[in-house]
Amino acid sequence: MLTRLIDWSLHHRGVVLLGTLALALSGVLSFQALPLDALPDTTPPQVQVNTLAPALTPVEVERQLTVPIEQALAGLPQLEQMRSLSKPGLSQVTLQFGDGTDVWFARQQVSERLGHVSLPQGIERPTLGPVATGLGEIFHYLVKSRTRSLTELRTLQDRVIAPALRGVPGVAEVNSWGGEEKQWHVVVEPRRLQQFHLSLGDLYQALEANNANVGGGRVEQAGAARLVLGVGALEGGAAVEEVTVAARDGVPVRVRDVAQVRVGPALRQGATTADGEGEAVLGLGFMRMGENSHAVSQALAQRLEEVRQRLPPDVQVDIVYARTELVEQVLRTVRNNLLEGALLVVAILFVFLGHWRAGLIVAAAIPLSLLFAFNAMVPLGIAGTLMSLGAIDFGLVVDSSVILVENAERRLAEDAGRRGVLEVVRDAAVEVRKPTLFGELIILVVYLPILTLEGVEGKLFRPLALTLIFALLGSALLSMTLMPVLASFVLKPGRGPHREPRLVALLQRLYRPVLDGALRHGRAVLAGAALLTVGAAGAALGLGSEFVPRLSEGTLVINTVRLAEVSLAESIRYGGHIEALLRGKFPDEVKRVWTRTGTAEVATDPMGLELSDVFITLHPRAQWTRAGTQEELVAEMKAELADLPGMRMAFLQPIEMRVNEMLAGVRGDVAIKLFGEDLDLLKAKAQEVEALVRPLPGAADVTVEQVTGQPILHVTVDRAAVARYGIPARDVLDVVEAVGGRRVGDVREGERRVELAVRLAEEYRQNPAQLATVSVVAPDGVRVPLGRLATFREVSGPTTVQREGGQRRLVIQANVRGRDLGGFVEEVRRTLDAKLELPTGYAVRLGGSFEHLERARQRLLLVVPVALALIFLLLYVTYGRVRDALRIFAGVPFAMVGGVLALLVRGLPFSISAAVGFVALSGVSVLGDMVLVSRVRQLLGRGLAPGEAIREAALSRLRPVLMTSAVAALGFVPMAFHTGVGAEVQRPLATVVIGGVLSSAVLTLLVLPVLYAVLGTGQKPQEP
């Protein structure tokens, strides 16, 4: 069949050229439609359920909201994990579903279950978080003004900017963080209520009963119908003041008689500061799941520019973080790697082939194979990312074309014009069609194990394998169609004896005595190769391990934790101080810095007031003066901030932080999770774990999750006292509720509505002693101070209650610096097993990115042997002899030697990226061996003696062996040594392939001929 395909192509050369042109045009169009991103989105389908209860403490939130919601959602189809967070006023339940689950189906199931949840009266129904993933937070902008209040800025954000941005295609949510949300306050003076013998309940009821519009149907009169509308809704503060609460002796008592009505901020759950210049409002754009972050981020920036034109001139809106920048930096790295790799490959082709015509023919396979891959990527939904495009080695792509064109060029030179060019090219193509095609198939087979990876590791590396497989399929097709056609047009018959290029001739002169020496001392060569292989295997066991290298995003995040009782004002002051310090100490490194504290309007990232995230965007590295790498910069910043009192900090990056949090519920590299019921006992055991982990080598930013220390003022109803006075407990709780503010409706302002809340005057809200003097009116008119009806007690309670799998959870998290992640985790396990004792019912479990490493390693250990067996089967089918198949297969372990040594020399740990390199090596390493073995078999079939055949084959095939090895290795050189954004992820893969290809070339040129000589050929001197 392959022969017929080659014959057809050479007889229909015009059709082949037109088909190639169509392929190229289609590939260009596909590239224009290709979605672009920095990395594949690795987060699984998730649904967040948020429930607000502003007045409840964490334990009450857990008891009244979180547990009932968890119980209702347990057992959903394809649900893999459920964890929850209970903070003051907020319950968040996060549900993680299995890969492949339709997120809309999952949200529908969650919504149906939530419809049956029974919650306390007055609590709003749970809402679902945005349809976004851990990589969905793609856009940050600041709204600032020197003349306007935070309330005005927040109003502009909520009413003008955010609605406009939500209309951008692909946007899931535009969130608001910080500022002061506008609210109408009815500020009550309790003494005035007492004067009119009124209670807070009376005020609540009056405001709720005097604020509505109703429909009255239709009235028909004289053949005409009129709609009836009853208007009673409050519009503006003046209307609120005129609401009648009661009547005394025929005189109405209005709201203005007992309270002041004014605009004020809602109870603040968070704040944003920027550049050490004070507070601002932060807007966050979230991309909908499955969208193109590059396109959506660009569209958000364009829409924001349009919105700027509608804002007052004294309002400034600045984009401080856009995923577009990271994507463009990563794609710049990918583009440079591909371009430099292609140029190196083309240069090698020119040098080894000896003239420009043959080099240009082979070079044409590079862009055409890539365009072929684009045609397959678009319909399968594979984005152009660091993983899919960044790991393509054009040296592998052109291998089959190299072998064909080199053989055709040599055959034409040897033929010296005796036959037609078409006939010679056809015979040359047919001669190598079997080994080249089977070589391509072997490389395809070795990438199949990567397609079996699951979870995060699968989403990260499957695009890489698929893209390379598509490019190799295109290359194989081109090598049997376009390459023979181009060779027939471009290559010319030789006019004299065939001469090798000067470099090849020089290499042959150097290689000949080395080969002769190896053949004379064959057993010593084999013994040395065996010892080297065994030594490399031992060294491989000592390599450290990590999941994937940390991608440098160009933006840092400092997670800061202060004392639980810290106020919002103090957190704001502290955040501004950190910003000013960083900008002052690192002017050449820090571009912008902003801090978000607490929780946003939509609780996508809920934190307490004691927690802040300090975001730092960086200038290009060429401008840095205090550090050369991001790791050095982090160390410098940590040293500058180390003296700040009362604060713990951990350095991360935005995508890294969000992915860790979405997958494991924590922000660090390693999470040690303690499970149990008693929070005090969990805290004590967590402190033991912290003391055990902190001294371990590589441990950094070791922190215990802060879950206790929240001061709480308990106002407990005295049941006996309220019974004596006949006062309902509800009247007592009405007073307590008015401390924070009770929502009683909305005030209409044109098309918009603003919340209306009742709250006590400031002196009663800030001083418990004053609060105790507020009187509650008994049914008989007696006024009883609150202090007689309830007990006031200050206690320390939880700041947060975390749950996972239906149990309370406390996390000790750590980052790993200067050490491999896998080795650190193993030492942590050994240490905890030996020294940590837990009571019955309590458990410890480790979580983090290392889990993906372990799962991927187990899967590869299962499927890689199967792939290797398939390679051996293909080799046996190709040559029909077990002995020849074993000779070629010996190249696999010897190639691994070079990969291991390369990792050791560069000080790189084993990672899944490196594992992909080893998988690729197992296919690449057999290509040169196949060329040599095929030539030996041809010469033996012509009657040459075994020794002469081995020597002649090794010398005559020096050029294709060196050429295929050189293009494979040099194609990866830019990836191995590039320092751009994203290069960290590619470096282990490229290092392994380069080292392995070099050691494989040594095997092919020295060890394989010796194997033939020592073990015999197993072939009779005639063509079978």
Side-chain angles (χ1 to χ4, degrees):
M1 185 181 77
L2 299 179
T3 302
R4 288 199 297 270
L5 178 60
I6 295 171
D7 289 337
W8 184 92
S9 299
L10 289 172
H11 283 92
H12 301 85
R13 293 185 291 179
V15 176
V16 171
L17 293 176
L18 287 175
T20 303
L21 180 61
L23 167 69
L25 291 175
S26 174
V28 171
L29 295 175
S30 296
F31 175 72
Q32 293 175 344
L34 189 70
L36 301 174
D37 208 335
L39 289 170
D41 194 341
T42 59
T43 51
Q46 289 189 339
V47 179
Q48 282 186 340
V49 180
N50 298 321
T51 311
L52 299 177
L56 295 182
T57 63
V59 172
E60 288 302 310
V61 168
E62 178 195 32
R63 185 179 299 150
Q64 298 186 39
L65 306 181
T66 304
V67 171
I69 292 173
E70 284 185 349
Q71 292 172 348
L73 298 178
L76 282 172
Q78 300 178 330
L79 178 64
E80 290 190 345
Q81 186 188 71
M82 179 165 57
R83 59 179 183 268
S84 65
L85 172 76
S86 300
K87 299 187 77 69
L90 171 69
S91 166
Q92 183 177 84
V93 179
T94 301
L95 302 107
Q96 181 173 309
F97 293 86
D99 284 335
T101 304
D102 181 18
V103 68
W104 300 107
F105 167 78
R107 292 172 71 89
Q108 177 65 28
Q109 296 295 309
V110 172
S111 296
E112 291 177 3
R113 292 282 187 93
L114 290 176
H116 302 291
V117 175
S118 178
L119 298 177
Q121 186 177 0
I123 300 296
E124 295 184 7
R125 299 301 302 174
T127 60
L128 303 186
V131 189
T133 69
L135 298 182
E137 191 176 315
I138 63 171
F139 198 72
H140 290 192
Y141 59 92
L142 292 169
V143 184
K144 303 168 67 176
S145 175
R146 296 184 181 276
T147 58
R148 294 181 180 266
S149 68
L150 290 173
T151 301
E152 291 176 295
L153 293 178
R154 178 63 183 266
T155 301
L156 284 172
Q157 158 67 10
D158 292 343
R159 297 185 179 182
V160 180
I161 303 174
L165 297 185
R166 289 191 185 104
V168 173
V171 171
E173 178 61 80
V174 177
N175 207 353
S176 302
W177 202 311
E180 295 178 347
E181 187 176 359
K182 183 178 180 180
Q183 198 174 56
W184 280 100
H185 289 165
V186 178
V187 182
V188 179
E189 173 53 60
R191 295 186 183 88
R192 294 189 189 179
L193 284 176
Q194 294 170 16
Q195 290 174 6
F196 294 101
H197 301 283
L198 296 173
S199 67
L200 279 169
D202 296 329
L203 183 59
Y204 296 156
Q205 184 178 2
L207 289 168
E208 291 169 350
N210 286 274
N211 189 11
N213 288 349
V214 297
R218 288 185 177 86
V219 172
E220 295 186 4
Q221 187 176 15
R226 297 174 178 85
L227 295 177
V228 179
L229 176 65
V231 180
L234 299 174
E235 297 186 5
V240 177
E241 290 180 333
E242 293 301 319
V243 171
T244 300
V245 182
R248 294 290 183 263
D249 299 326
V251 178
V253 179
R254 296 181 172 86
V255 169
R256 67 173 183 236
D257 298 323
V258 296
Q260 295 180 0
V261 179
R262 59 183 181 224
V263 173
L267 182 64
R268 301 185 68 186
Q269 301 292 342
T272 298
T273 57
D275 298 320
E277 298 174 355
E279 287 196 66
V281 175
L282 175 66
L284 302 96
F286 288 83
M287 176 186 70
R288 191 164 55 237
M289 183 180 294
E291 297 289 340
N292 180 356
S293 69
H294 187 265
V296 175
S297 184
Q298 280 186 328
L300 281 169
Q302 292 171 359
R303 181 66 59 86
L304 189 60
E305 185 59 36
E306 297 172 6
V307 174
R308 279 195 183 103
Q309 311 305 318
R310 307 203 305 264
L311 297 176
D314 58 339
V315 175
Q316 181 181 350
V317 181
D318 296 329
I319 299 172
V320 290
Y321 174 77
R323 183 68 55 77
T324 307
E325 297 179 10
L326 175 62
V327 174
E328 291 176 350
Q329 289 175 340
V330 168
L331 293 179
R332 190 178 303 119
T333 298
V334 172
R335 182 196 63 202
N336 292 341
N337 286 346
L338 292 178
L339 181 60
E340 293 168 9
L343 291 176
L344 286 172
V345 168
V346 171
I348 288 295
L349 295 176
F350 283 141
V351 168
F352 276 93
L353 292 175
H355 57 77
W356 60 271
R357 290 190 182 93
L360 285 179
I361 294 174
V362 178
I366 294 176
L368 291 173
S369 300
L370 195 57
L371 292 172
F372 183 92
F374 291 154
N375 283 320
M377 292 170 68
V378 171
L380 292 178
I382 300 174
T385 67
L386 177 67
M387 301 308 298
S388 61
L389 299 180
I392 293 180
D393 180 9
F394 290 130
L396 301 181
V397 170
V398 302
D399 266 341
S400 56
S401 297
V402 166
I403 294 172
L404 184 145
V405 173
E406 186 273 340
N407 199 47
E409 186 267 337
R410 183 168 54 83
R411 289 298 187 191
L412 284 169
E414 292 174 351
D415 185 77
R418 290 188 292 272
R419 295 185 297 163
V421 173
L422 274 177
E423 183 182 356
V424 176
V425 170
R426 183 259 182 200
D427 290 345
V430 170
E431 183 181 6
V432 296
R433 77 186 188 282
K434 193 172 183 180
T436 55
L437 177 64
F438 273 82
E440 299 278 9
L441 286 177
I442 286 171
I443 295 179
L444 293 179
V445 166
V446 300
Y447 277 97
L448 294 181
I450 300 174
L451 300 181
T452 67
L453 294 176
E454 299 176 334
V456 173
E457 56 275 19
K459 292 180 180 180
L460 200 58
F461 289 99
R462 275 199 301 266
L464 179 155
L466 286 171
T467 304
L468 191 55
I469 286 173
F470 297 149
L472 288 170
L473 288 174
S475 172
L477 180 62
L478 291 169
S479 70
M480 291 180 290
T481 55
L482 181 66
M483 292 298 112
V485 170
L486 292 179
S488 69
F489 278 121
V490 176
L491 298 183
K492 304 298 181 184
R495 298 180 180 178
H498 174 65
R499 291 184 179 180
E500 298 284 6
R502 292 182 179 180
L503 176 63
V504 176
L506 174 63
L507 292 173
Q508 284 181 338
R509 287 197 299 272
L510 296 175
Y511 174 54
R512 187 175 287 109
V514 176
L515 174 64
D516 292 340
L519 291 173
R520 285 194 304 270
H521 304 88
R523 297 190 183 279
V525 170
L526 293 181
L531 287 175
L532 193 57
T533 304
V534 172
L541 297 176
L543 284 173
S545 60
E546 63 182 5
F547 178 48
V548 289
R550 179 176 279 109
L551 171 68
S552 175
E553 300 177 25
T555 303
L556 297 174
V557 180
I558 309 175
N559 301 138
T560 62
V561 184
R562 291 171 290 276
L563 297 177
E565 64 266 23
V566 71
S567 67
L568 179 60
E570 179 62 16
S571 288
I572 292 171
R573 185 195 68 79
Y574 222 109
H577 179 64
I578 293 174
E579 293 161 4
L581 180 62
L582 290 174
R583 296 204 71 181
K585 297 289 186 180
F586 300 92
D588 299 320
E589 290 79 17
V590 174
K591 183 178 180 182
R592 297 294 297 268
V593 55
W594 66 100
T595 304
R596 60 189 201 190
T597 299
T599 303
E601 178 188 18
V602 179
T604 53
D605 185 13
M607 301 186 296
L609 300 181
E610 77 281 5
L611 302 177
S612 298
D613 289 336
V614 183
F615 284 77
I616 308 166
T617 55
L618 304 174
H619 288 297
R621 291 188 188 180
Q623 187 176 330
W624 294 5
T625 57
R626 291 195 57 176
T629 65
Q630 187 165 301
E631 291 75 15
E632 294 175 2
L633 181 61
V634 167
E636 291 285 335
M637 288 183 172
K638 189 177 293 186
E640 292 289 352
L641 299 175
D643 295 333
L644 294 180
M647 182 185 75
R648 293 176 297 170
M649 58 185 171
F651 281 79
L652 290 167
Q653 302 177 101
I655 294 178
E656 178 186 24
M657 177 184 73
R658 292 294 292 146
V659 170
N660 286 347
E661 195 167 25
M662 294 285 278
L663 293 176
V666 297
R667 299 183 172 191
D669 295 335
V670 178
I672 305 168
K673 304 178 182 179
L674 289 174
F675 294 91
E677 287 302 317
D678 189 327
L679 287 175
D680 291 330
L681 182 55
L682 284 176
K683 181 180 179 182
K685 289 298 178 181
Q687 290 170 344
E688 290 183 28
V689 172
E690 180 185 21
L692 293 173
V693 172
R694 189 177 294 278
L696 299 181
D701 309 326
V702 182
T703 57
V704 176
E705 190 176 35
Q706 188 163 272
V707 295
T708 59
Q710 175 66 58
I712 300 174
L713 177 63
H714 271 189
V715 183
T716 306
V717 175
D718 186 335
R719 296 291 179 180
V722 296
R724 284 196 302 271
Y725 292 103
I727 297 175
R730 179 71 257 176
D731 289 358
V732 176
L733 298 177
D734 283 342
V735 178
V736 176
E737 199 171 6
V739 174
R742 170 169 166 172
R743 182 180 175 184
V744 291
D746 297 313
V747 175
R748 300 193 179 190
E749 295 182 350
E751 296 179 353
R752 301 179 178 90
R753 299 186 300 175
V754 180
E755 287 185 0
L756 175 63
V758 176
R759 64 196 306 182
L760 292 174
E762 194 70 16
E763 62 266 26
Y764 299 97
R765 297 177 59 247
Q766 301 299 331
N767 189 343
Q770 284 289 98
L771 179 63
T773 65
V774 175
S775 296
V776 179
V777 180
D780 58 2
V782 175
R783 290 176 293 192
V784 185
L786 183 64
R788 294 185 184 178
L789 302 174
T791 58
F792 286 65
R793 184 165 57 96
E794 289 194 9
V795 299
S796 178
T799 59
T800 304
V801 180
Q802 301 261 20
R803 295 171 62 87
E804 185 176 321
Q807 282 186 298
R808 285 180 170 178
R809 182 198 77 184
L810 196 152
V811 173
I812 306 92
Q813 66 182 26
N815 292 322
V816 181
R817 299 283 185 267
R819 183 179 179 183
D820 67 284
L821 180 60
F824 177 78
V825 170
E826 286 302 317
E827 187 167 0
V828 169
R829 280 178 172 155
R830 291 194 301 269
T831 301
L832 296 182
D833 289 343
K835 299 180 180 180
L836 181 66
E837 295 182 2
L838 294 175
T840 303
Y842 288 73
V844 62
R845 189 169 74 241
L846 272 67
S849 61
F850 73 90
E851 293 178 296
H852 314 307
L853 170 66
E854 292 179 341
R855 186 168 61 233
R857 182 185 287 167
Q858 292 171 358
R859 175 56 62 98
L860 290 176
L861 286 175
L862 178 66
V863 297
V864 166
V866 176
L868 294 177
L870 286 175
I871 292 175
F872 183 81
L873 180 62
L874 286 173
L875 293 173
Y876 178 74
V877 170
T878 304
Y879 296 104
R881 290 186 179 87
V882 173
R883 186 177 299 185
D884 284 342
L886 285 174
R887 285 191 184 101
I888 297 174
F889 197 74
V892 174
F894 206 74
M896 302 301 171
V897 171
V900 171
L901 293 178
L903 288 178
L904 288 173
V905 169
R906 301 201 67 187
L908 298 175
F910 177 84
S911 63
I912 300 302
S913 181
V916 172
F918 281 112
V919 168
L921 268 183
S922 59
V924 175
S925 61
V926 303
L927 295 180
D929 298 355
M930 292 179 70
V931 171
L932 185 60
V933 169
S934 297
R935 183 60 175 167
V936 171
R937 287 166 60 92
Q938 290 174 1
L939 295 175
L940 288 172
R942 295 176 185 175
L944 267 70
E948 186 180 353
I950 293 169
R951 189 173 183 277
E952 173 63 24
L955 291 171
S956 64
R957 283 294 179 259
L958 177 65
R959 179 168 71 163
V961 169
L962 287 180
M963 190 159 47
T964 55
S965 298
V967 295
L970 289 177
F972 273 120
V973 164
M975 301 181 199
F977 297 99
H978 207 285
T979 57
V981 176
E984 305 89 348
V985 178
Q986 299 173 317
R987 192 169 296 130
L989 186 155
T991 299
V992 167
V993 172
I994 292 172
V997 165
L998 294 178
S999 65
S1000 177
V1002 173
L1003 169 82
T1004 302
L1005 296 175
L1006 295 179
V1007 181
L1008 187 58
V1010 170
L1011 277 174
Y1012 252 116
V1014 172
L1015 302 180
T1017 64
Q1019 181 175 337
K1020 297 179 181 180
Q1022 67 264 0
E1023 189 70 19

